[in-house]
Amino acid sequence: MKNVVVTGADGFIGSHLTEALLNEGCHVTALAQYNSFNNWGWLEGIRHPELSIVTGDVRDPNFCRTLLKGADTVFHLAALIAIPFSYTAPDSYVDTNVKGTLNICQAAKDTGVERLLITSTSEVYGTAKYVPIDENHPKQPQSPYSATKIGADAIALSFHNTFDMNVTVVRPFNTYGPRQSARAIIPSIITQIATGIKEIKVGDLSPTRDFNYVEDTCRGFIAIAKAPNTAGEEINIATQREVSMKTTLETIARLMDADIKWVVDPDRLRPSGSEVFRLLGSNEKITRLTGWRPEVSLEEGLRRTIDWICSGDHLKNYKPNIYNR
């Protein structure tokens, strides 16, 4: 990995992955979504002699070909990810997640990229039919978002099967940590408590999740990229540990020494039939192929996330009284 492109680098995981790749000695071309404010999202403040930041849009195939020229490895993270909004604007999810992935795959083929990693999501599995969920688990599109990610994964794998491209589908389970957007449950709870709110608004607290701390997720991406035997594979990044939303809330409250109660906000409930009630991922495959294992416990990761949100001006970037669907 000498010349690396990261799409979606201005986002939560993308910005952390960009920093991790720079620490690996890579030259990184980081894509931030084009906007008239010339804002680089979470890349703002990251400066490094081997970092080049460009703005553009993966929905444009011509731009994608220009972006990937000279790259040997591409990490494709650019996507629309908010599940509730995918019911309101499904066309935009198809354009970005499905067509955007097609554009990146085609551009990688046209420009001779050696290694392409496509970012999937554990949402493609839907509510677990068995646990731990391995890569052979049936795909269940329980939201337009998850449907578009299933489609994107299939397109990526078709380029491996048809053109023998070195493509891997990387499937992180729920990632959390510094810079995560407030629509997710962990930063939502932390920011409400940090601003003095006593009645914490939540959605359904019964679902369970397999939470990856963001540094572990990034180590997983890099381990997969370095491994010689991952082409054409779908690979989970998972802790193989399960925790309920309710326990997560209670742990955050304890770590913040907060005396709170929670109330269910109807706006935070997913549409009927769309909630994924159980996610517990198998990490057998990634461990076998790469040796990767999670290193940061949930409690330690939550503590780091709380410290980051509550330090400096970070809390000002959140609007805890507004739920962004």
Side-chain angles (χ1 to χ4, degrees), residues 141-195:
Q142 290 185 225
S143 65
Y145 163 68
S146 64
T148 61
K149 295 299 282 186
I150 291 170
D153 296 350
I155 284 173
L157 291 172
S158 77
F159 272 72
H160 169 77
N161 294 331
T162 304
F163 304 114
D164 199 29
M165 284 177 56
N166 192 340
V167 178
T168 305
V169 172
V170 181
R171 187 165 293 131
F173 278 64
N174 298 79
T175 300
Y176 72 99
R179 305 177 192 158
Q180 188 176 20
S181 65
R183 60 169 188 79
I185 186 168
I186 288 175
S188 173
I189 292 168
I190 294 171
T191 54
Q192 287 183 76
I193 293 174
T195 51

Side-chain angles (χ1 to χ4, degrees), residues 27 35-36 141 167 170 186 190 197 214 223:
H27 175 81
N35 61 89
S36 61
V167 178
V170 181
I186 288 175
I190 294 171
I197 296 172
V214 66

